[in-house]
Amino acid sequence: MAYPTAPLEVLGLWTGWLLMLMIYSYPLYKENIVFRWAEHTYIAVMLAVNLVMMVTNVNRIAIQPMLQGQIHYIIPIILGLAMYTLLVADYRWISRYPIAVLVGAGFGLGMRGVLIPNLLDQVVSTITPPAGGAAMDWFNFIYIAIGTICAVSYFLLTYEHTGALRYPTRLGRWFIMIGLGAYFGNTVLFRLSMLSGRAQFFLQVLKIIPM
Amino acid sequence: MSSETIWDKLQNIDRKVFYWILWIGLMIPFIRPIGLPISIAPSTRDLYNGLLTLEEGDVVWINIAFGVSAWIDCMPATVACTKVILRQGAKLIVVGAYTDADLSWDKLRNSVPDFDQLEYGKDYVYLGYYTGGEAVVAQIASDIRSVFPTDAYGTPLDELPLMKEVNSVHDIDMVLSGDTGDWGDYYMRQWASPYGIPMAEIGIAMLASSYMPFYKSGLLFGISSSSRGGAELEKLIGEPGEATVIMDALSVSHLMVIAAVLLANIGYFATRGRRR
């Protein structure tokens, strides 16, 4: 992508650059009025964009088909509108119906999909030895097998963690901590990726590096 | 006279100092690239090899479930995969689960020159934004038109040559989901698992550990994790791009974080005995 030349695009680029610096003035300096202004502007713009997209979407997939004769689309529209009764104390009970539909549909669909990929496939994958003979594959297989058993045993809360359960549960806690550490490490990686992108953008707008 | 030692001072450094060092340190590799080597992870290689199995005329569904803020992590891999898909002669359907999906589509469209040689509506379509979570993903599986009566530009699907024969999940040959959240799970549960559609994941770094079990169990044929995965794919297709450029900066930032953690821990352990 080349550096933009159209006046509006250049203006957009510099506006983004300036707003980024305003936001970063908080961690790099302290909370200040410039940061707050940029923060509020961001929230307002995102809210506006979301509202437009949502209304357009509802219009496209429900209202227009209903107006063209597919009258059954009135049901989701009424259920959607019923959610707004949450805002009126006397009629709040009506909102329970769309919530019930949402929870029921979500639970039903979730259960349909969860059993095989999240449970059965994982059990099979855990107990199936690696096909190849690579040492690392076997290490992973044993690590996952022991880790799964020990981590699950840690959550046997109806038994005291003594006797036969003493060491597996302690080991399980270590496995859980290692897992959470890896998860946290990946989270840090993502944040640093985002920061790297902003540093790159900072330099690109100033034309220090090519865009 | 202050009794503060160097170890005490290390633990009491204002975090802003670290932020400044990080911010400036990140810029140096962009100006003076180091060129650290990039090795290919097996999950990324499997993703690439999976894309190479596509045949002319196959239909691939790309779900863009990441916003502009996650472009840096997900877009390079999405761009690389799109290039491979189009060069295999496969058809492309792109949808977006975030409200800024149109921006992401523009970015993808402008980052893949192959689109210029192809015809919109016949070789690729962009259906636009959709919402509704898992229920909608399940609905698309049975009837695409009920969720997308038109494409993102308002053209009815029946007027698009590519979409004339694509009605449900049965007409789709592969799914790629680029995610910052749960949308990949929805596609695994509602498409890949019940219908056996080959699926791969392009995720931000923090999703890598969440999706790895599904890759190990075979439900996902490949994973590209973060900008690192993007850089690996760029290396595999032989076209260094945005992710490759950023890898040096990312490595430097990690070294700085490791140094900060080490210093803080050394300070903590050096002063622990005295505190007791």
Side-chain angles (χ1 to χ4, degrees):
Chain A
M1 198 175 89
Y3 199 91
T5 48
L8 270 179
E9 287 181 7
V10 173
L11 182 69
L13 203 66
W14 279 98
T15 307
W17 188 84
L18 206 61
L19 283 168
M20 182 186 77
L21 285 190
M22 286 175 170
I23 294 286
Y24 280 176
S25 69
Y26 176 66
L28 294 174
Y29 174 53
K30 63 179 182 180
E31 177 156 1
N32 58 78
I33 191 166
V34 171
F35 163 74
R36 280 200 298 275
W37 187 83
E39 185 189 30
H40 293 174
T41 304
Y42 171 75
I43 292 168
V45 169
M46 280 310 293
L47 189 66
V49 169
N50 274 290
L51 192 65
V52 169
M53 292 300 285
M54 295 294 176
V55 170
T56 307
N57 200 47
V58 169
N59 181 48
R60 187 173 65 146
I61 65 170
I63 295 174
Q64 287 305 321
M66 187 187 72
L67 293 176
Q68 286 162 15
Q70 291 176 276
I71 198 71
H72 60 278
Y73 276 100
I74 190 93
I75 298 168
I77 291 171
I78 290 172
L79 284 171
L81 289 172
M83 288 290 270
Y84 289 106
T85 58
L86 269 171
L87 303 170
V88 187
D90 288 347
Y91 297 101
R92 191 168 288 168
W93 59 271
I94 297 174
S95 65
R96 290 179 190 159
Y97 289 96
I99 291 171
V101 171
L102 276 177
V103 172
F107 188 71
L109 283 165
M111 284 308 289
R112 170 205 180 197
V114 159
L115 284 176
I116 294 174
N118 289 49
L119 200 62
L120 290 177
D121 283 355
Q122 297 312 314
V123 171
V124 171
S125 170
T126 304
I127 62 175
T128 307
M136 199 61 200
D137 290 340
W138 278 99
F139 173 80
N140 281 335
F141 170 68
I142 293 166
Y143 178 88
I144 291 169
I146 295 174
T148 304
I149 293 165
C150 292
V152 169
S153 72
Y154 178 76
F155 290 99
L156 289 172
L157 304 175
T158 46
Y159 296 94
E160 200 171 342
H161 292 178
T162 54
L165 280 177
R166 181 181 167 87
Y167 292 107
T169 52
R170 286 189 175 187
L171 196 57
R173 192 166 60 181
W174 276 98
F175 276 108
I176 292 167
M177 286 163 73
I178 291 168
L180 290 175
Y183 194 79
F184 180 67
N186 281 323
T187 306
V188 173
L189 172 60
F190 174 50
R191 306 300 170 200
L192 288 175
S193 284
M194 293 170 94
L195 190 62
S196 303
R198 290 304 85 203
Q200 187 187 26
F201 177 70
F202 179 85
L203 296 170
Q204 283 173 330
V205 175
L206 294 176
K207 295 187 177 177
I208 295 172
I209 59 171
M211 188 159 271
Chain B
M1 198 176 105
S2 170
S3 61
E4 223 180 27
T5 64
I6 181 80
W7 304 117
D8 293 314
K9 285 177 184 168
L10 269 178
Q11 288 186 87
N12 296 321
I13 296 173
D14 188 343
R15 69 179 67 180
K16 288 187 185 70
V17 174
F18 181 69
Y19 291 155
W20 271 106
I21 294 171
L22 190 61
W23 178 241
I24 294 166
L26 273 173
M27 292 185 195
I28 296 169
F30 285 116
I31 301 167
R32 296 233 177 254
I34 306 165
L36 294 169
I38 298 165
S39 56
I40 312 287
S43 58
T44 314
R45 189 175 291 281
D46 285 345
L47 167 56
Y48 177 67
N49 289 337
L51 295 177
L52 292 180
T53 63
L54 285 168
E55 293 175 0
E56 197 167 337
D58 281 352
V59 179
V60 181
W61 182 277
I62 292 188
N63 175 48
I64 299 180
F66 55 85
V68 171
S69 60
W71 275 4
I72 196 70
D73 249 21
C74 296
M75 191 54 86
T78 309
V79 166
C81 289
T82 304
K83 285 178 179 172
V84 179
I85 291 164
L86 296 179
R87 286 168 195 174
Q88 289 295 111
K91 311 286 184 189
L92 197 63
I93 300 172
V94 180
V95 294
Y98 275 42
T99 48
D100 51 11
D102 290 356
L103 293 174
S104 296
W105 164 244
D106 284 344
K107 169 81 172 168
L108 179 64
R109 175 72 184 73
N110 293 328
S111 304
V112 181
D114 304 63
F115 278 120
D116 297 337
Q117 318 300 324
L118 302 169
E119 188 182 331
Y120 181 80
K122 186 179 155 205
D123 301 305
Y124 66 96
V125 294
Y126 171 56
L127 299 184
Y129 168 73
Y130 70 113
T131 186
E134 191 160 5
V136 165
V137 175
Q139 178 62 22
I140 296 171
S142 56
D143 181 9
I144 291 173
R145 280 162 176 74
S146 63
V147 178
F148 296 104
T150 66
D151 72 351
Y153 311 108
T155 311
L157 293 199
D158 290 330
E159 292 177 17
L160 299 165
L162 168 57
M163 297 307 294
K164 276 183 182 162
E165 305 209 346
V166 179
N167 298 305
S168 68
V169 70
H170 300 292
D171 306 312
I172 289 164
D173 301 288
M174 186 180 283
V175 184
L176 297 186
S177 189
D179 290 303
T180 53
D182 298 331
W183 286 86
D185 287 25
Y186 304 156
Y187 277 93
M188 276 193 292
R189 291 200 287 256
Q190 304 301 333
W191 284 36
S193 179
Y195 299 105
I197 304 287
M199 178 177 168
E201 173 69 23
I202 297 167
I204 55 171
M206 58 202 284
L207 290 179
S209 47
S210 307
Y211 283 117
M212 199 48 77
F214 299 105
Y215 165 68
K216 290 285 181 192
S217 65
L219 194 64
L220 297 173
F221 69 81
I223 298 177
S224 166
S225 168
S226 78
S227 45
R228 164 81 198 194
E232 292 170 12
L233 283 164
E234 285 172 357
K235 187 178 178 184
L236 282 167
I237 66 170
E239 293 179 24
E242 286 184 13
T244 309
V245 172
I246 217 161
M247 283 315 295
D248 282 344
L250 209 52
S251 301
V252 168
S253 69
H254 286 200
L255 286 174
M256 285 194 283
V257 170
I258 290 167
V261 170
L262 282 176
L263 280 174
N265 275 281
I266 290 168
Y268 171 75
F269 283 110
T271 56
R272 192 169 69 162
R274 203 179 58 205
R275 279 201 303 274
R276 278 176 179 167

